[in-house]
Amino acid sequence: MSRGHACFFFAMSGQYMFEEFDGQEMTKGMLNALDRIATHGTHALQSYSPNALAGAALAAAASANDIKTDVLVLICKELSERACWSNFSASSLTKLCWALAVANHRDKKVMSGIGMEIAGRSHEFSGEELAKCLSAFAELKFFHEEMMPAISVQVMWKVDQLSARSLAQVAVSCAKLDFCKQPLFDWLASRMCLRDERTMDDVSSMVWAFAKMSIQHESLCQTAALDALKRDSRDFTEQHHARLLLAFASPNLEFPVQGLPQPLYHQSLSGAESVCKPI
C-alpha cells in the first residue's frame, strides 16, 4: 500500500470513529486517530464529514488530562478553510462549541461562523442544545451580537424543554455576557420556581445572575430563601452561601432574607466573591 493510500485509509477509519462521538469513553483507536491528525495536519482531515470534524474536536478536548490543543488548532484551520457552516447539523455545531469551551480555545473566526449559523438556524436547535451553546460562548467570553437575540427568543419558546440545571446555565451565561432581556429572565425564573428537581446550586446560581443584571424577581427570591431553609446543612455549601449573600446584599435585589439559615456569616466567606463561581 502506497503512503497516499495509507493516509487515505487511516483518515477514513478515523472519520467513522468520530462520526457519532458525543463525549463518551475514548478508545485507543480514537487516540491513535488524533495522533495521526497531529502528524499529518489538515491533509488528514480533508475527507472528514462535518459530524466527524465535530466529533474529533470533542475528542481532542475530552482527552483525559491531555487536551490536544494542536489537533484543535488544525480542526479550526480546516473549518475556516471550508467555511461551509450550513452543512453542519445543530448537534455538530453544539459539539464544536462545547469542545472549544472545554479546551478554552477561543478561535474568533470559528466562533463567529458558529454564532452566525446559530443566529440563522436557532429554530433547529433543541432547548438543551441552545443552553450548551450559550454556556460555551459565555465560558469563552465571546459575545455574538446576532446570535444572542435569536437564542433569547428560541429559549423562551422552548423553555419547558430545559432542565433546572440548564435554566440556571442560561441565566448565568447571559449575565456573564452582560446580555439583559427582562422577558427572558422572567421566563427562566418562573420555570425554575416550578422545577421539583432544582438543587441549591441551580437556584443560587440563578439568583446570582439576577443580582448581577440588576433584575428583581420576588418569587425567585422567595423560592431561594425557602429552599435554603429546607436543605440539609450538608447540601448547603459555602459556595451557595456566598452566591446568596452577594445577591441579597445587592441594592437592586431588595428582599428580606427570612428563609436563610443562621448564622449567615462564616469566616471563610469573607472573600465571598472569590468563591462565587456560578457554573
Side-chain angles (χ1 to χ4, degrees), residues 22 45 62 66-67 89 93 98 102 121 125 140 158 164 204 276:
D22 59 2
L45 296 169
D66 181 27
I67 294 175
S89 65
L93 291 171
W98 202 247
V102 168
R121 297 163 50 197
F125 290 71
L140 292 170
K158 300 173 180 177
S204 62
C276 185

Side-chain angles (χ1 to χ4, degrees), residues 205-230:
S205 293
M206 183 170 283
V207 170
W208 175 89
F210 271 66
K212 184 178 186 301
M213 299 310 295
S214 301
I215 299 176
Q216 298 185 26
H217 198 285
E218 185 174 343
S219 295
L220 177 63
C221 293
Q222 180 71 57
T223 296
L226 293 176
D227 281 2
L229 183 63
K230 296 174 184 176

Side-chain angles (χ1 to χ4, degrees), residues 1-245:
M1 183 183 294
S2 68
R3 182 181 179 186
H5 283 96
C7 288
F8 178 77
F9 172 78
F10 287 129
M12 291 302 293
S13 61
Q15 172 179 332
Y16 295 134
M17 278 187 282
F18 294 126
E19 281 281 354
E20 302 299 328
F21 182 70
D22 59 2
Q24 71 269 26
E25 186 177 352
M26 293 278 290
T27 66
K28 186 175 181 179
M30 289 179 181
L31 291 173
N32 290 337
L34 292 176
D35 288 339
R36 284 193 292 272
I37 293 171
T39 301
H40 297 290
T42 55
H43 180 72
L45 296 169
Q46 290 175 2
S47 65
Y48 274 45
S49 69
N51 282 343
L53 281 173
L58 190 60
S63 300
N65 302 318
D66 181 27
I67 294 175
K68 299 186 180 298
T69 304
D70 54 342
V71 175
L72 273 176
V73 169
L74 290 168
I75 291 173
C76 286
K77 183 179 179 181
E78 178 68 17
L79 290 169
S80 297
E81 290 176 354
R82 291 191 191 186
C84 293
W85 296 109
S86 60
N87 293 329
F88 284 79
S89 65
S91 175
S92 293
L93 291 171
T94 303
K95 287 180 186 179
L96 282 173
C97 285
W98 202 247
L100 294 174
V102 168
N104 194 29
H105 185 68
R106 195 174 187 271
D107 188 298
K108 292 183 179 180
K109 190 171 183 179
V110 170
M111 293 296 289
S112 294
I114 294 174
M116 191 60 72
E117 199 64 25
I118 294 174
R121 297 163 50 197
S122 58
H123 62 282
E124 296 180 14
F125 290 71
S126 69
E128 291 293 335
E129 287 172 337
L130 290 170
K132 284 187 176 181
C133 290
L134 184 55
S135 180
F137 273 76
E139 286 299 312
L140 292 170
K141 298 179 175 63
F142 194 101
F143 183 89
H144 195 285
E145 191 170 351
E146 290 82 3
M147 183 191 76
M148 293 302 294
I151 282 187
S152 176
V153 170
Q154 286 300 319
V155 165
M156 284 191 286
W157 275 106
K158 300 173 180 177
V159 69
D160 288 326
Q161 297 179 11
L162 298 177
S163 64
R165 177 65 171 174
S166 293
L167 290 169
Q169 277 188 325
V170 170
V172 169
S173 297
C174 287
K176 286 182 176 180
L177 292 170
D178 289 322
F179 181 77
C180 179
K181 292 294 184 183
Q182 177 98 31
L184 171 61
F185 275 74
D186 286 343
W187 276 87
L188 294 173
S190 63
R191 290 307 187 274
M192 178 65 80
C193 294
L194 296 174
R195 290 288 191 272
D196 292 334
E197 83 277 12
R198 66 178 182 267
T199 65
M200 275 310 305
D201 200 50
D202 302 329
V203 177
S204 62
S205 293
M206 183 170 283
V207 170
W208 175 89
F210 271 66
K212 184 178 186 301
M213 299 310 295
S214 301
I215 299 176
Q216 298 185 26
H217 198 285
E218 185 174 343
S219 295
L220 177 63
C221 293
Q222 180 71 57
T223 296
L226 293 176
D227 281 2
L229 183 63
K230 296 174 184 176
R231 299 291 175 180
D232 187 293
S233 59
R234 292 170 297 180
D235 298 326
F236 195 73
T237 67
E238 291 185 354
Q239 190 177 71
H240 299 149
H241 264 128
R243 293 173 188 162
L244 294 177
L245 283 170

